[in-house]
Amino acid sequence: DADVTQTPRNRITKTGKRIMLECSQTKGHDRMYWYRQDPGLGLRLIYYSFDVKDINKGEISDGYSVSRQAQAKFSLSLESAIPNQTALYFCATRAAGTSGGNTGELFFGEGSRLTVL
Amino acid sequence: AQSVTQLGSHVSVSEGALVLLRCNYSSSVPPYLFWYVQYPNQGLQLLLKYTSAATLVKGINGFEAEFKKSETSFHLTKPSAHMSDAAEYFCAVRGSNYKLTFGKGTLLTVNP
Protein backbone atom coordinates (compact mmCIF):
# COMPACT_ATOMS: atom_id res chain seq x y z
CA ASP A 1 0.00 0.00 0.00
CA ALA A 2 1.10 3.55 -0.71
CA ASP A 3 2.44 5.63 2.16
CA VAL A 4 0.38 8.64 1.03
CA THR A 5 -3.05 7.79 -0.32
CA GLN A 6 -5.37 10.18 -2.09
CA THR A 7 -9.04 9.65 -2.84
CA PRO A 8 -10.64 9.94 -5.28
CA ARG A 9 -8.01 9.54 -8.00
CA ASN A 10 -10.32 11.00 -10.60
CA ARG A 11 -13.43 13.10 -10.26
CA ILE A 12 -15.63 14.94 -12.70
CA THR A 13 -18.08 17.43 -11.26
CA LYS A 14 -20.17 20.41 -12.22
CA THR A 15 -19.78 24.08 -11.47
CA GLY A 16 -21.13 24.99 -8.04
CA LYS A 17 -20.80 21.54 -6.50
CA ARG A 18 -18.94 20.93 -3.27
CA ILE A 19 -15.99 18.59 -3.60
CA MET A 20 -13.72 17.02 -1.01
CA LEU A 21 -10.38 15.45 -1.76
CA GLU A 22 -8.98 13.25 0.95
CA CYS A 23 -5.45 12.37 1.91
CA SER A 24 -4.23 9.84 4.42
CA GLN A 25 -0.69 8.84 5.28
CA THR A 26 1.05 6.05 7.13
CA LYS A 27 4.47 7.71 7.35
CA GLY A 28 3.83 9.19 10.78
CA HIS A 29 4.69 12.67 9.53
CA ASP A 30 3.37 15.80 11.19
CA ARG A 31 3.57 18.07 8.19
CA MET A 32 1.03 17.75 5.39
CA TYR A 33 0.55 19.80 2.24
CA TRP A 34 -1.87 20.28 -0.62
CA TYR A 35 -0.48 21.33 -4.00
CA ARG A 36 -2.14 22.03 -7.30
CA GLN A 37 -0.46 21.16 -10.60
CA ASP A 38 -1.38 22.87 -13.87
CA PRO A 39 0.40 22.33 -17.19
CA GLY A 40 3.23 24.81 -17.56
CA LEU A 41 2.80 26.20 -14.06
CA GLY A 42 4.43 23.51 -11.96
CA LEU A 43 3.18 22.89 -8.45
CA ARG A 44 1.64 25.63 -6.37
CA LEU A 45 0.96 25.38 -2.66
CA ILE A 46 -2.67 25.66 -1.57
CA TYR A 47 -2.56 24.91 2.16
CA TYR A 48 -0.24 23.27 4.63
CA SER A 49 -0.51 21.97 8.15
CA PHE A 50 2.19 21.49 10.75
CA ASP A 51 -0.08 19.58 13.09
CA VAL A 52 -3.76 19.11 13.83
CA LYS A 53 -4.10 22.61 15.31
CA ASP A 54 -1.81 24.46 12.92
CA ILE A 55 -3.13 25.17 9.42
CA ASN A 56 -1.69 27.76 7.08
CA LYS A 57 -2.58 29.26 3.74
CA GLY A 58 -0.31 28.77 0.80
CA GLU A 59 0.08 30.95 -2.26
CA ILE A 60 -3.28 30.07 -3.87
CA SER A 61 -5.74 29.34 -1.06
CA ASP A 62 -8.71 31.35 -2.38
CA GLY A 63 -11.65 29.07 -3.17
CA TYR A 64 -10.28 26.23 -1.07
CA SER A 65 -10.53 25.10 2.53
CA VAL A 66 -8.88 22.29 4.46
CA SER A 67 -9.45 20.14 7.48
CA ARG A 68 -6.84 18.23 9.47
CA GLN A 69 -8.95 15.54 11.08
CA ALA A 70 -6.04 13.68 12.60
CA GLN A 71 -2.28 13.52 12.28
CA ALA A 72 -2.70 11.11 9.39
CA LYS A 73 -5.59 12.80 7.55
CA PHE A 74 -5.74 16.09 5.66
CA SER A 75 -8.69 16.96 3.42
CA LEU A 76 -9.05 19.64 0.78
CA SER A 77 -12.49 21.07 0.00
CA LEU A 78 -13.81 23.16 -2.82
CA GLU A 79 -16.99 24.70 -1.44
CA SER A 80 -18.33 25.73 -4.83
CA ALA A 81 -16.23 24.34 -7.64
CA ILE A 82 -15.50 26.43 -10.73
CA PRO A 83 -13.96 25.38 -14.06
CA ASN A 84 -10.60 27.03 -13.41
CA GLN A 85 -10.14 24.69 -10.47
CA THR A 86 -9.77 21.87 -12.96
CA ALA A 87 -6.30 20.54 -12.15
CA LEU A 88 -4.25 17.71 -10.70
CA TYR A 89 -4.08 17.93 -6.92
CA PHE A 90 -1.32 16.43 -4.83
CA CYS A 91 -1.07 15.75 -1.15
CA ALA A 92 2.41 15.57 0.34
CA THR A 93 3.93 14.93 3.74
CA ARG A 94 7.25 15.47 5.44
CA ALA A 95 8.83 14.82 8.78
CA ALA A 96 9.11 17.65 11.28
CA GLY A 97 12.37 19.18 12.47
CA THR A 98 15.89 18.19 11.57
CA SER A 99 16.22 14.94 13.46
CA GLY A 100 17.35 11.84 11.63
CA GLY A 101 18.88 13.92 8.88
CA ASN A 102 15.53 15.29 7.74
CA THR A 103 16.17 17.74 4.92
CA GLY A 104 12.61 18.73 4.16
CA GLU A 105 12.00 16.12 1.50
CA LEU A 106 8.35 15.81 0.56
CA PHE A 107 6.61 12.50 -0.03
CA PHE A 108 3.78 12.70 -2.52
CA GLY A 109 0.56 10.86 -3.14
CA GLU A 110 -0.37 9.78 -6.64
CA GLY A 111 -2.64 12.72 -7.23
CA SER A 112 -6.34 13.45 -7.64
CA ARG A 113 -7.41 14.62 -11.06
CA LEU A 114 -10.38 16.97 -10.79
CA THR A 115 -12.42 18.19 -13.73
CA VAL A 116 -15.03 20.89 -13.19
CA LEU A 117 -17.49 21.26 -16.05
CA ALA B 1 12.09 34.52 -0.75
CA GLN B 2 12.95 31.58 -2.92
CA SER B 3 12.37 30.92 -6.58
CA VAL B 4 13.30 28.37 -9.20
CA THR B 5 13.67 28.77 -12.94
CA GLN B 6 13.80 25.75 -15.18
CA LEU B 7 15.09 26.63 -18.61
CA GLY B 8 13.18 24.78 -21.29
CA SER B 9 9.70 23.48 -20.70
CA HIS B 10 10.36 20.63 -23.12
CA VAL B 11 13.62 18.82 -23.86
CA SER B 12 13.88 16.12 -26.50
CA VAL B 13 16.85 13.75 -26.77
CA SER B 14 17.69 10.56 -28.59
CA GLU B 15 18.07 7.31 -26.73
CA GLY B 16 21.70 7.03 -25.59
CA ALA B 17 22.31 10.78 -25.73
CA LEU B 18 23.24 13.06 -22.86
CA VAL B 19 20.39 14.45 -20.81
CA LEU B 20 20.81 17.98 -19.45
CA LEU B 21 17.94 19.68 -17.61
CA ARG B 22 18.67 23.16 -16.36
CA CYS B 23 17.68 24.68 -13.03
CA ASN B 24 18.62 28.05 -11.57
CA TYR B 25 17.52 29.12 -8.14
CA SER B 26 17.25 32.17 -5.95
CA SER B 27 17.37 31.83 -2.20
CA SER B 28 17.83 34.19 0.72
CA VAL B 29 19.30 31.39 2.83
CA PRO B 30 21.80 28.62 2.04
CA PRO B 31 19.76 26.45 -0.27
CA TYR B 32 18.65 22.89 -0.05
CA LEU B 33 17.78 21.78 -3.57
CA PHE B 34 15.80 18.88 -4.93
CA TRP B 35 15.01 17.23 -8.23
CA TYR B 36 11.76 15.30 -8.49
CA VAL B 37 10.51 13.16 -11.37
CA GLN B 38 6.90 12.58 -12.34
CA TYR B 39 6.12 9.63 -14.57
CA PRO B 40 2.78 9.63 -16.41
CA ASN B 41 -0.20 9.23 -14.10
CA GLN B 42 1.98 9.11 -11.03
CA GLY B 43 2.98 11.35 -8.17
CA LEU B 44 6.35 13.01 -7.73
CA GLN B 45 9.31 10.91 -6.71
CA LEU B 46 12.57 12.26 -5.34
CA LEU B 47 15.51 11.83 -7.72
CA LEU B 48 18.19 13.50 -5.65
CA LYS B 49 18.87 16.32 -3.23
CA TYR B 50 21.62 18.76 -2.33
CA THR B 51 22.01 19.40 1.37
CA SER B 52 25.27 21.42 1.58
CA ALA B 53 27.51 18.37 1.65
CA ALA B 54 29.08 17.27 -1.64
CA THR B 55 28.41 19.60 -4.56
CA LEU B 56 28.04 16.68 -6.97
CA VAL B 57 25.01 14.68 -5.98
CA LYS B 58 24.15 11.27 -7.33
CA GLY B 59 20.57 10.10 -7.47
CA ILE B 60 18.51 7.18 -8.64
CA ASN B 61 18.41 5.80 -12.19
CA GLY B 62 21.84 7.16 -13.10
CA PHE B 63 21.01 10.84 -12.66
CA GLU B 64 23.28 13.34 -11.00
CA ALA B 65 23.30 17.08 -10.37
CA GLU B 66 26.01 19.59 -9.57
CA PHE B 67 25.48 22.50 -7.22
CA LYS B 68 27.27 25.63 -8.42
CA LYS B 69 26.90 28.48 -5.99
CA SER B 70 28.59 31.04 -8.24
CA GLU B 71 26.09 30.29 -10.99
CA THR B 72 23.13 29.66 -8.65
CA SER B 73 22.53 26.51 -10.64
CA PHE B 74 21.65 22.89 -9.96
CA HIS B 75 21.49 21.25 -13.37
CA LEU B 76 20.43 17.62 -13.74
CA THR B 77 22.36 15.29 -16.03
CA LYS B 78 22.44 11.69 -17.18
CA PRO B 79 25.15 10.45 -19.55
CA SER B 80 22.93 8.18 -21.62
CA ALA B 81 19.17 8.56 -21.93
CA HIS B 82 16.87 5.58 -21.78
CA MET B 83 13.32 5.38 -23.04
CA SER B 84 12.15 4.89 -19.47
CA ASP B 85 13.51 8.34 -18.55
CA ALA B 86 10.66 10.02 -20.40
CA ALA B 87 8.85 11.99 -17.72
CA GLU B 88 8.43 15.47 -16.30
CA TYR B 89 11.18 16.75 -14.03
CA PHE B 90 10.82 19.39 -11.34
CA CYS B 91 13.51 21.34 -9.55
CA ALA B 92 12.68 22.69 -6.09
CA VAL B 93 14.33 24.85 -3.45
CA ARG B 94 13.64 24.69 0.27
CA GLY B 95 12.77 27.95 1.95
CA SER B 96 11.62 29.10 5.33
CA ASN B 97 9.56 26.67 7.40
CA TYR B 98 10.89 23.93 5.15
CA LYS B 99 8.46 24.90 2.39
CA LEU B 100 9.48 23.78 -1.09
CA THR B 101 9.14 26.12 -4.05
CA PHE B 102 8.94 24.26 -7.36
CA GLY B 103 9.92 25.22 -10.85
CA LYS B 104 7.44 24.92 -13.68
CA GLY B 105 8.80 21.61 -14.82
CA THR B 106 10.63 20.24 -17.86
CA LEU B 107 9.08 17.51 -19.95
CA LEU B 108 11.72 15.10 -21.21
CA THR B 109 11.02 13.17 -24.38
CA VAL B 110 13.33 10.34 -25.39
CA ASN B 111 13.30 9.37 -29.06
CA PRO B 112 14.27 5.88 -30.25
Side-chain angles (χ1 to χ4, degrees):
Chain A
D1 290 340
D3 292 327
V4 183
T5 302
Q6 293 184 230
T7 56
R9 293 291 312 280
N10 288 283
R11 181 72 182 269
I12 300 173
T13 191
K14 295 182 178 180
T15 297
K17 294 292 187 180
R18 183 179 188 273
I19 293 297
M20 179 181 286
L21 306 179
E22 298 183 324
C23 177
S24 63
Q25 52 111 349
T26 58
K27 299 193 73 66
H29 289 166
D30 289 325
R31 277 45 171 167
M32 297 188 74
Y33 301 77
W34 275 105
Y35 284 89
R36 167 178 173 159
Q37 183 183 16
D38 297 276
L41 296 180
L43 278 79
R44 293 179 291 167
L45 183 62
I46 305 173
Y47 270 96
Y48 60 104
S49 172
F50 284 173
D51 63 37
V52 174
K53 297 181 179 180
D54 186 354
I55 293 178
N56 305 275
K57 293 183 177 180
E59 57 184 298
I60 55 162
S61 60
D62 287 349
Y64 301 94
S65 62
V66 291
S67 173
R68 185 81 183 267
Q69 300 95 327
Q71 186 207 34
K73 296 184 182 295
F74 192 37
S75 300
L76 176 71
S77 294
L78 289 68
E79 297 300 326
S80 179
I82 56 176
N84 75 1
Q85 292 178 313
T86 293
L88 183 58
Y89 291 85
F90 284 104
C91 176
T93 74
R94 73 163 176 87
T98 56
S99 63
N102 174 34
T103 55
E105 173 188 351
L106 290 177
F107 296 83
F108 285 85
E110 295 195 332
S112 295
R113 185 170 296 281
L114 177 65
T115 302
V116 184
L117 303 176
Chain B
Q2 289 67 233
S3 66
V4 172
T5 301
Q6 291 184 239
L7 298 176
S9 60
H10 187 193
V11 171
S12 182
V13 301
S14 299
E15 191 172 20
L18 171 71
V19 175
L20 171 60
L21 304 182
R22 300 178 186 274
C23 172
N24 288 90
Y25 69 91
S26 172
S27 178
S28 55
V29 298
Y32 278 28
L33 295 157
F34 304 82
W35 274 101
Y36 282 84
V37 59
Q38 183 182 24
Y39 298 105
N41 300 314
Q42 295 186 24
L44 279 73
Q45 176 184 358
L46 183 69
L47 264 182
L48 50 78
K49 59 185 176 184
Y50 168 74
T51 61
S52 74
T55 56
L56 183 61
V57 181
K58 295 187 183 299
I60 61 172
N61 301 336
F63 284 92
E64 62 182 34
E66 186 172 9
F67 172 71
K68 292 187 177 180
K69 183 178 179 180
S70 62
E71 300 178 7
T72 61
S73 69
F74 190 56
H75 301 330
L76 182 71
T77 60
K78 182 174 181 178
S80 176
H82 191 272
M83 296 296 290
S84 62
D85 295 326
E88 190 157 21
Y89 293 79
F90 293 92
C91 183
V93 61
R94 193 188 85 180
S96 61
N97 283 336
Y98 280 58
K99 283 191 294 181
L100 294 193
T101 299
F102 288 85
K104 295 183 178 181
T106 298
L107 182 65
L108 176 66
T109 301
V110 182
N111 303 307

